[in-house]
């Protein structure tokens, strides 16, 4: 993962649906991390936290089993991200459907710190003659 003009990283998302039919979104969250290993670890830790809140039974046991062992999933996910491919995880967590995804991205700088400054709230714009020097 080379950065070049921007900073290379991984964009991660979690979507929680109100039912296993995934018809209505209950919540959405996103975060950015610096590399594929951190992305997969963050998703796995988030999945463990979420599954830990599911009332016992078979659904909890199945979900915990999916995120507890590797079985090639974690290694495969890291490898996919390094190849520039997306990866994801989907779980039935006690009647709600949860999907995690991660994709490699290039974070571009938004503004130059040495460039022109925007006028903030409550500030007056400089005289027109100072714009084009």
């Amino acid at each position: 993962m080379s950065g070049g003009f921007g900073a290379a990283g991984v964009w991660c998302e979690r979507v929680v649906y109100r039912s296993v039919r995934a018809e209505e979104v209950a919540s959405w969250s996103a975060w950015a991390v610096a590399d594929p290993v951190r992305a997969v670890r963050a998703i796995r830790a988030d999945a463990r936290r979420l599954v830990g809140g599911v009332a016992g039974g078979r659904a909890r046991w199945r979900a915990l089993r999916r995120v507890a062992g590797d079985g090639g999933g974690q290694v495969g996910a890291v490898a996919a991200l390094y190849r520039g491919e997306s990866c994801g995880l989907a779980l039935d967590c006690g009647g709600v459907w949860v999907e995690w995804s991660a994709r490699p991205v290039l974070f571009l700088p938004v503004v130059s710190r040495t460039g022109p400054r925007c006028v903030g709230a409550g500030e007056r714009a400089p005289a027109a003659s100072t714009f084009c020097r």
Side-chain angles (χ1 to χ4, degrees):
M1 293 182 61
S2 61
F5 179 67
V10 181
W11 183 257
C12 304
E13 296 181 3
R14 178 187 67 208
V15 181
V16 179
Y17 296 93
R18 295 194 187 282
S19 72
V20 292
R21 293 187 307 274
E23 295 170 344
E24 185 180 349
V25 174
S27 70
W28 174 85
S29 60
W31 60 96
V33 294
D35 61 68
V37 173
R38 289 182 184 171
V40 172
R41 284 181 183 162
I43 287 173
R44 192 171 176 186
D46 190 53
R48 281 187 184 150
R49 278 190 302 274
L50 194 69
V51 170
V54 174
R58 289 184 79 157
R60 181 176 186 207
W61 180 81
R62 276 194 308 259
L64 279 172
R65 200 171 109 207
R66 290 250 349 243
V67 297
D70 181 26
Q74 185 174 354
V75 172
V78 170
L81 290 168
Y82 273 116
R83 287 191 308 267
E85 301 169 5
S86 298
C87 67
L89 170 67
L91 294 175
D92 174 357
C93 293
V96 298
W97 188 253
V98 185
E99 295 176 353
W100 290 267
S101 63
R103 66 180 181 273
V105 294
L106 185 62
F107 294 105
L108 301 175
V110 179
V111 293
S112 170
R113 295 184 190 262
T114 59
R117 187 167 112 32
C118 295
V119 176
E123 295 179 339
R124 288 180 32 141
S129 62
T130 61
F131 280 110
C132 303
R133 287 192 179 185

